[in-house]
Amino acid sequence: MFKLESKYTEIIKFIREKYNTPEGMIYLHEPRFNGNEKKYLNECIDTTFVSSVGKFVTRFEEMIAEFTGAKHAIAAVNGTAALHISLLLCDVKPEDEVITQALTFIATTNAIAYTGAKPIFIDVDKDTMGLSPKSLESFLSENTTQKNGFCFNNTSGKRIKSCVPMHTFGHPCRIDEIIAICKRYNIDVVEDAAESLGSYFKGQHTGTFGKFGTLSFNGNKTITTGGGGMILTNDDELGKLAKHITTTAKVPHRWEFVHDMTAYNYRLTNLASALGCAQMEQLPGFLIQKRKLAVAYTEFFNQLNIKFQTEPKNSSSNYWLNALILNDKPEQSSFLEYMNNHEVMVRPVWQLMNRLEMYKDCQCGSLENTEWLADRVVNIPSSVIIN
Ligand SMILES: *Cc1c(COP(=O)(O)O)cnc(C)c1O
């Protein structure tokens, strides 16, 4: 029988060679600052514009809008805040419910909880690791009724107002089918594209399909601002509102301080945006390097007869976090133990949302693929290689 253990030293050797790091820690995803970062940060400091006003905020928003093709891009303090605001602007109320996947980072689910709404967890597809349109359709057809143009959950009696699919590890989910289903059931789509800057589905950038899409620039993402996020939308009205509500809803005036609603201080600073502009200049290069590494991993793991997750059909992935699908849970445990003991950082997929204390009472669809993946997926080092 094929033993994974016998391949460990080969895997470590391959990864260490790729990263030109014969010894010491190899992290999962390190940021790279090889562009104008220091120059732009110094500009902020020299001009004293370090906070929420300054030219880099607008420039960063423009760069993201241009790159993604979204009509509007609104900077936010982090990806979680961007999701929170998007859900609020979809009119998600405390008494509503919001569908998402159980296989996601906590931010997706927390943002739903911040609105007061209750999450519902649906299965993912094995090939995309993102929300499964088939599971979504079967959950909605078996569990909901349409009333007054809204979708109501037969079990809870609550309105299902929104759906948040996530493009896992940068691999686009079947977003076109999800949008079509949600449209039929009168459910708004907020795409959590936190992990998928630079990923395209049928040639269109992820995060631009739904009513809103959101990005994250946390330290471990494809580009980073230290911490940061972005709201994407093609709706002029909602774009304006998103800016207003993330910036304390201040009515523009030269000296008066008037605010016309209870809003949020979710602004991204000029300092963070300066970093973002410098990172955006390097994004095309980062994406080329990430794809090169993914191609090398694909060949290497094919040879070892280990399944490496490649981009799904119809899409181009940014390969944010590379993933292996091992044979079973014992293999996953032993791999995690060995690699981490040898200073090659690897990790399992996040603890499933429906297994966390705060969310264990939430309604779930069948989670067959989700649970299957949770026992097998491991992420391996994915930082951009600079050569
Ligand atoms: C990173 C991430 C976010 C946003 O996280 P922040 O740290 O708040 O920027 C949201 N959803 C997913 C799936 C993520 O991976």
Side-chain angles (χ1 to χ4, degrees):
M1 211 185 80
F2 163 73
K3 285 293 271 181
L4 181 64
E5 282 88 342
S6 63
K7 312 287 181 192
Y8 284 162
T9 43
E10 257 181 277
I11 296 172
I12 287 177
K13 185 164 162 268
F14 182 81
I15 294 175
R16 287 205 173 280
E17 272 174 15
K18 277 281 152 212
Y19 282 99
N20 198 15
T21 306
E23 54 191 273
M25 192 69 182
I26 296 183
Y27 292 95
L28 203 61
H29 204 290
E30 285 181 308
R32 301 287 184 229
F33 304 113
N34 297 311
N36 287 317
E37 283 86 356
K38 286 181 181 168
K39 181 173 167 226
Y40 295 166
L41 286 172
N42 274 330
E43 214 174 303
C44 294
I45 293 164
D46 292 343
T47 60
T48 76
F49 281 94
V50 294
S51 193
S52 42
V53 177
K55 68 173 190 190
F56 286 113
V57 182
T58 315
R59 195 198 291 179
F60 187 37
E61 290 174 336
E62 286 168 358
M63 287 176 95
I64 291 282
E66 192 186 343
F67 185 86
T68 59
K71 205 159 166 206
H72 305 281
I74 301 96
V77 69
N78 56 50
T80 315
L83 277 170
H84 181 200
I85 295 300
S86 300
L87 289 165
L88 290 178
L89 293 183
C90 285
D91 205 31
V92 172
K93 293 281 197 280
E95 55 278 9
D96 289 333
E97 293 179 332
V98 174
I99 290 175
T100 190
Q101 51 201 67
L103 192 150
T104 187
F105 176 57
I106 190 72
T108 321
T109 314
N110 279 345
I112 295 169
Y114 296 166
T115 68
K118 208 158 178 181
I120 297 173
F121 300 116
I122 302 286
D123 211 0
V124 294
D125 286 326
K126 274 188 192 170
D127 62 337
T128 68
M129 301 193 192
L131 195 75
S132 160
K134 250 196 203 116
S135 304
L136 178 66
E137 172 73 63
S138 70
F139 179 88
L140 290 171
S141 67
E142 287 160 26
N143 293 286
T144 67
T145 310
Q146 289 292 312
K147 218 166 36 187
N148 308 325
F150 292 113
C151 180
F152 285 87
N153 184 339
N154 297 337
T155 310
S156 63
K158 292 181 174 192
R159 183 174 74 158
I160 300 176
K161 189 66 186 72
S162 188
C163 173
V164 190
M166 199 274 280
H167 302 288
T168 307
F169 306 146
H171 299 304
C173 66
R174 294 183 166 78
I175 189 66
D176 57 345
E177 290 176 53
I178 292 168
I179 299 269
I181 294 165
C182 287
K183 199 166 181 183
R184 272 194 284 114
Y185 284 88
N186 292 308
I187 295 171
D188 294 323
V189 174
V190 173
E191 271 177 276
D192 186 346
E195 304 181 355
S196 62
L197 176 63
S199 299
Y200 299 80
F201 181 79
K202 295 186 177 167
Q204 185 177 334
H205 198 283
T206 52
T208 64
F209 291 82
K211 189 164 182 174
F212 290 98
T214 61
L215 303 174
S216 167
F217 312 114
N218 190 38
N220 62 346
K221 295 299 200 304
T222 303
I223 67 160
T224 187
T225 58
M230 196 70 74
I231 301 168
L232 308 178
T233 185
N234 291 323
D235 185 305
D236 297 339
E237 237 7 77
L238 290 173
K240 238 185 271 167
L241 251 171
K243 190 70 192 174
H244 195 55
I245 199 173
T246 48
T247 56
T248 69
K250 187 177 180 297
V251 181
H253 193 282
R254 281 201 294 154
W255 54 84
E256 299 285 358
F257 265 70
V258 179
H259 306 261
D260 60 8
M261 66 197 289
T262 304
Y264 297 83
N265 178 13
Y266 278 177
R267 287 179 279 217
L268 190 68
T269 64
N270 201 46
L271 276 175
S273 304
L275 213 50
C277 290
Q279 289 269 286
M280 275 306 284
E281 292 168 354
Q282 296 160 81
L283 177 60
F286 287 172
L287 292 171
I288 290 169
Q289 289 303 324
K290 288 181 84 64
R291 177 162 294 271
K292 257 195 193 163
L293 175 63
V295 168
Y297 270 148
T298 308
E299 278 173 25
F300 174 72
F301 285 109
N302 268 348
Q303 240 178 42
L304 294 188
N305 207 14
I306 296 171
K307 166 114 181 77
F308 175 81
Q309 186 78 352
T310 50
E311 63 196 353
K313 249 195 345 203
N314 296 319
S315 55
S316 170
S317 175
N318 65 1
Y319 284 98
W320 170 57
L321 266 196
N322 293 299
L324 302 177
I325 303 178
L326 303 178
N327 284 316
D328 51 31
K329 196 169 170 64
E331 244 189 23
Q332 185 195 43
S333 305
S334 111
F335 184 84
L336 291 169
E337 178 87 26
Y338 192 92
M339 292 292 147
N340 283 304
N341 281 347
H342 289 78
E343 297 186 288
V344 174
M345 194 172 161
V346 299
R347 67 174 199 210
V349 76
W350 314 276
Q351 166 98 260
L352 299 179
M353 293 301 113
N354 59 306
R355 292 176 182 169
L356 295 174
E357 192 56 35
M358 317 76 85
Y359 301 119
K360 70 178 192 319
D361 298 328
C362 295
Q363 190 175 359
C364 297
S366 146
L367 297 178
E368 204 184 318
N369 294 339
T370 303
E371 282 162 0
W372 188 90
L373 287 166
D375 286 346
R376 289 164 180 79
V377 171
V378 291
N379 290 120
I380 57 175
S382 303
S383 312
V384 166
I385 292 171
I386 305 291
N387 48 16

